[in-house]
Amino acid sequence: MRILAIRLSSALALQAAATATALAEQAAVPAYFSWAGMYFGASAGGAVPLHSGETFQAASGFGAPVYDLNPPGRGGAGVTFGVSVGYNWQHGPWVYGAETELNFLDGRRAPAGTFPAPAAFAAMGVNSYTLAPYDGGNYFGSFRGRVGYAFDRALIYATAGVASGGWRGASTLVLNGGGPGNPFVSGNSATSRMKYVVGGGVEYAFADHWSARAEYLFLDQSFGTQVFDNGNMYDFVSRTRSDSHVFRLGLVYNLGEPNTFQAAAEKKPETKTDGGSAANLPFPNVGAVTEGNMSSTATTTPKINPTTQTDTAEAERYSVHGQITVLPQGYPKFPALYSGTNSLPPNGQVRATVSNTGFFGVKLWDGGEAYVNPEIDEGYGLEGSLGVAGFTSAEAYKIGHARPYLRFQRYFVRQTFGLGGDAETIDPGQNLLGGPVDGNRLTFTAGKFSVVDIFDDNRYAHDARNGFINWSIVDLGSFDYPADAWGFTEGAAAEWKQDSWTARGGLFQISAVPNGETIEPIPFRQFGAVGELELRHNLLFNQPGKIKLLAFADFAYLGKFDQAVYLGLATNATPDITQVRAKRTKAGGGINIEQPISDDLGFFLRAGLSNGRYETVDFTDIHRSVSAGLVLTGAGWNRPKDAIGLAGVLNGISGGEARYLGSGGLTAMIGDGALSYNGEHILETYYKYNLAEGVHITGDYQFVDNPAYNAARGPANIFALRLHGEF
């Protein structure tokens, strides 16, 4: 008994000592309220514009500032309200993260009405002028960083980032009683500076997941310029300032940690994926490096794997990813007998692009997901993305800017319905929530995204941030898919996946004018239909291969090349495709082959045709294209995340477009003023060198023979260096 008492007292003493030690350690580490995780917010408040006036400076044709117009402004304090989504990381009391938002903003309005004209106009018989603007700038969006210090449930923070919105939109000016010709018409304004937002606030968590905030922002939507032209050599230039003080209150719901919930109780709570486990990352709520964007879950890719005994029993509630890509590109002098308006200049050139993208996703309900992708872009492609039909950088849009600018390139919802079959696991990724899914399923996607997010995918040639970068190699060159000038559009797609095949179909809005900046606003007035059948097999090399059959049709107002040439001959003028547009249908199709040869070596091939009688809808001037190539990873020399790629593409156009270009006509992409036709032949090779997890540098070379189908120009040797990072 004495021995038992001694042992019991010793155990109690040890337990007391351990408890005291634990309490001491706990006391030594201060407890902080957790601000980490994804959050959603709504806000409302007021905005005070700093400038309300506007000056219409008399330009060409008038010749003197006495003709300047100074209408009174309509600016004043107004309301603002909107929604936001963001993500916080936390280290001790320090909190930092990223947030994106979209808001209605009232207050700054363009002048409207009839006003007395300056005395100088009396000689023209003009006594007044009328402005009829379209108020298209009553919104702002932003993509901002935040850093703050938490006092338990109170957070004080500063914030800064890039803004969008604020342009005045199209407008008309009419000189009443006479003048040199009416009306004076303007398009969207062009800004000369980066739009930005900076400010700070205080936030208080009144419940575990709910917080309220008060915030101040200084919003600078930049210095805008609009040219009002009457088509008769007379112009006015409008210059406006658009900046505001914004005061607002907000309510925030924080999803918090962890980022997963139980999805299938019978599965084991471990996870092994090709990209690495999110649980092993420094920030456990952020997914692993994913090597590129994927917006389709109805395919078999390196991110979608058969479920095994070690797969996770948990599915992501939300996802946060990001990427940055810097891509300078240039070429030395090349021979050219002549050049035109849309030619690649023969004297050599260097240009660069920078893109920064956030990928935010959240689970809405069973099978339902929502995503938004704010993107900050800067820079230009070579010669503003002109002069080569198979353009040399898929990181370069048709619209460039010398200053950073923000756009919401994607915002969409996805709904998946399981149909049974062997279970699969989707790895966490950009625009992918990780977790188990049925092997057979229906997937519906609707919103704004790129058609080629879902169609024409190929694991060896489809991601310009991680592989090849030529337009006609990363996509089927003759696939004239609906898109704005940045490559995105609004629409819906459906995907039906079964064990060995997937069928896809979609309807998408086309740009308002071919290759334009804005999407057709009226549903089905101008639209495109796309269909694709994917067949999966293991017939070659005992590797999982794919064959995809693609068909598309565009219904839009398009010009016909031969009609433009005939009109030019009849009027003794250079043919202009924009003068012969009418409602027409342009169709095409192609085949896409993806075939691994071994675990480290893969082959791809694409071939396609499209109707070449009509102008390009939204992609580029290619009516027939064949591309093929190989990609080899560096596993053979102990660098498994390195890769070498080699590919070639043969592009061609129709006889109608060749005649049009030979007569001096221009398209959105090419036009040398004359043409000695030959096919455009491009060879591309690259080496991707992995620097760290999710970070690589790539050297790329392209040989472009007969750029823009012109045997009188080239060949051009084009070099690029790509630095890419993602998490």
Side-chain angles (χ1 to χ4, degrees):
M1 180 69 85
R2 179 180 296 178
I3 294 174
L4 178 62
I6 292 173
R7 288 179 176 176
L8 180 60
S9 60
S10 298
L12 291 173
L14 288 172
Q15 178 65 33
T19 302
T21 301
L23 290 173
E25 291 177 350
Q26 185 175 1
V29 179
Y32 298 103
F33 176 80
S34 177
W35 293 89
M38 175 176 267
Y39 60 86
F40 299 89
S43 63
V48 180
L50 272 67
H51 305 275
S52 60
E54 184 170 355
T55 298
F56 292 78
Q57 296 179 349
S60 62
F62 292 100
V66 294
Y67 294 101
D68 289 356
L69 306 177
N70 294 281
R74 295 191 294 155
V79 299
T80 180
F81 56 86
V83 294
S84 60
V85 59
Y87 189 90
N88 285 329
W89 292 274
Q90 184 168 359
H91 286 286
W94 289 99
V95 179
Y96 56 95
E99 179 176 307
T100 187
E101 63 183 331
L102 185 63
N103 304 272
F104 171 83
L105 175 65
D106 197 13
R108 177 72 173 91
R109 296 183 181 181
T114 299
F115 310 99
F121 281 96
M124 299 182 184
V126 176
N127 51 33
S128 65
Y129 61 96
T130 299
L131 291 170
Y134 169 75
D135 290 320
N138 54 348
Y139 79 94
F140 80 92
S142 76
F143 190 22
R144 300 180 279 118
R146 294 204 316 163
V147 60
Y149 191 88
F151 299 89
D152 193 25
R153 289 179 174 266
L155 174 67
I156 299 174
Y157 64 88
T159 183
V162 177
S164 65
W167 52 269
R168 271 190 43 220
S171 180
T172 59
L173 163 65
V174 176
L175 300 177
N176 300 318
N182 286 310
F184 291 78
V185 179
S186 173
N188 295 346
S189 66
T191 180
S192 58
R193 291 198 323 230
M194 181 183 76
K195 302 176 182 182
Y196 68 90
V197 60
V198 61
V202 59
E203 191 169 341
Y204 182 76
F206 58 85
D208 286 345
H209 293 281
W210 290 95
S211 60
R213 66 168 63 164
E215 189 173 63
Y216 161 77
L217 297 174
F218 176 75
L219 174 65
D220 188 328
Q221 291 175 300
S222 198
F223 187 82
T225 301
Q226 285 179 286
V227 177
F228 289 75
D229 180 28
N230 70 348
N232 194 29
M233 305 298 291
Y234 284 82
D235 295 327
F236 285 97
V237 178
S238 168
R239 305 185 189 279
T240 59
R241 290 288 301 273
S242 184
D243 41 23
S244 305
H245 296 297
V246 178
F247 304 88
R248 61 188 184 180
L249 301 176
L251 187 65
V252 178
Y253 182 77
N254 192 326
L255 293 175
E257 296 180 301
N259 175 26
T260 55
F261 60 88
Q262 202 73 14
E266 69 275 9
K267 295 184 179 180
K268 295 186 177 182
E270 301 178 37
T271 178
K272 291 183 180 179
T273 67
D274 290 346
S277 169
N280 296 327
L281 295 177
F283 309 119
N285 287 348
V286 181
V289 173
T290 62
E291 287 298 297
N293 171 64
M294 273 291 299
S295 290
S296 173
T297 61
T299 185
T300 301
T301 75
K303 302 187 189 71
I304 302 178
N305 312 301
T307 295
T308 68
Q309 292 298 313
T310 59
D311 280 325
T312 179
E314 299 178 328
E316 285 189 305
R317 295 189 301 155
Y318 57 84
S319 69
V320 178
H321 295 269
Q323 75 83 30
I324 180 171
T325 303
V326 181
L327 200 157
Q329 189 173 58
Y331 61 91
K333 292 182 179 181
F334 65 84
L337 297 181
Y338 50 82
S339 297
T341 302
N342 287 355
S343 294
L344 193 68
N347 294 327
Q349 191 178 93
V350 176
R351 294 289 184 269
T353 57
V354 182
S355 66
N356 304 266
T357 315
F359 303 89
F360 298 90
V362 63
K363 190 175 185 68
L364 301 175
W365 48 74
D366 187 20
E369 304 160 8
Y371 297 89
V372 61
N373 294 173
E375 182 170 288
I376 300 171
D377 293 296
E378 180 182 3
Y380 300 89
L382 295 173
E383 193 54 21
S385 304
L386 299 174
V388 183
F391 193 68
T392 58
S393 173
E395 272 291 281
Y397 299 127
K398 295 174 184 176
I399 299 295
H401 205 292
R403 302 289 187 272
Y405 64 97
L406 170 67
R407 286 181 63 85
F408 290 87
Q409 302 290 33
R410 296 181 183 89
Y411 42 83
F412 63 92
V413 294
R414 179 191 296 134
Q415 177 66 49
T416 301
F417 298 98
L419 302 177
D422 294 336
E424 295 177 344
T425 298
I426 298 178
D427 292 349
Q430 296 170 7
N431 293 334
L432 288 176
L433 286 173
V437 292
D438 285 356
N440 300 330
R441 53 191 179 269
L442 285 172
T443 303
F444 299 93
T445 306
K448 182 187 178 187
F449 51 96
S450 178
V451 173
V452 292
D453 286 344
I454 293 178
F455 298 89
D456 194 39
D457 183 31
N458 192 299
R459 65 186 293 186
Y460 299 116
H462 200 58
D463 181 3
R465 290 168 178 164
N466 290 281
F468 296 104
I469 61 176
N470 185 278
W471 284 18
S472 55
I473 292 178
V474 300
D475 294 317
L476 176 62
S478 58
F479 183 17
D480 200 358
Y481 58 88
D484 60 16
W486 290 267
F488 301 87
T489 189
E490 298 161 357
E495 304 172 81
W496 180 15
K497 180 184 180 297
Q498 291 293 291
D499 291 337
S500 60
W501 57 268
T502 300
R504 301 183 178 90
L507 296 174
F508 305 92
Q509 291 294 93
I510 283 171
S511 57
V513 296
N515 287 284
E517 298 181 35
T518 58
I519 295 299
E520 168 62 57
I522 299 177
F524 304 114
R525 182 167 69 177
Q526 297 189 89
F527 70 97
V530 185
E532 185 178 66
L533 178 63
E534 174 184 314
L535 305 173
R536 295 181 287 275
H537 64 87
N538 289 279
L539 300 176
L540 300 175
F541 313 110
N542 197 29
Q543 295 285 340
K546 297 181 192 176
I547 300 174
K548 299 182 181 183
L549 303 175
L550 176 79
F552 68 92
D554 299 321
F555 307 90
Y557 289 92
L558 302 173
K560 188 175 181 179
F561 288 115
D562 281 340
Q563 187 177 353
V565 172
Y566 298 152
L567 180 61
L569 291 172
T571 58
N572 196 28
T574 302
D576 183 354
I577 197 72
T578 67
Q579 301 301 309
V580 294
R581 285 175 176 160
K583 194 65 175 289
R584 294 185 168 102
T585 301
K586 180 178 181 179
I591 186 171
N592 179 338
I593 296 174
E594 174 187 312
Q595 181 59 59
I597 298 173
S598 68
D599 292 341
D600 304 322
L601 179 64
F603 167 80
F604 77 91
L605 181 144
R606 287 187 177 98
L609 294 169
S610 66
N611 188 338
R613 293 180 293 172
Y614 308 126
E615 67 178 309
T616 298
V617 179
D618 284 324
F619 190 35
T620 189
D621 292 275
I622 300 175
H623 299 136
R624 55 184 181 272
S625 180
V626 178
S627 64
L630 297 164
V631 176
L632 175 67
T633 68
W637 54 96
N638 297 319
R639 293 196 57 85
K641 294 186 177 181
D642 288 9
I644 296 175
L646 175 66
V649 59
L650 306 177
N651 297 323
I653 54 175
S654 66
E657 182 168 5
R659 288 187 289 272
Y660 173 78
L661 294 173
S663 300
L666 301 176
T667 71
M669 293 287 298
I670 59 176
D672 298 328
L675 185 67
S676 300
Y677 179 76
N678 204 335
E680 186 179 78
H681 309 145
I682 301 172
L683 177 71
E684 180 178 4
T685 185
Y686 72 86
Y687 187 94
K688 181 176 75 171
Y689 184 85
N690 189 69
L691 298 173
E693 183 71 12
V695 181
H696 65 251
I697 189 169
T698 302
D700 184 275
Y701 167 72
Q702 295 177 57
F703 176 83
V704 181
D705 192 27
N706 308 321
Y709 309 105
N710 202 334
R713 310 185 78 251
N717 296 281
I718 299 177
F719 302 86
L721 188 68
R722 177 182 61 208
L723 179 63
H724 173 78
E726 61 181 57
F727 67 88

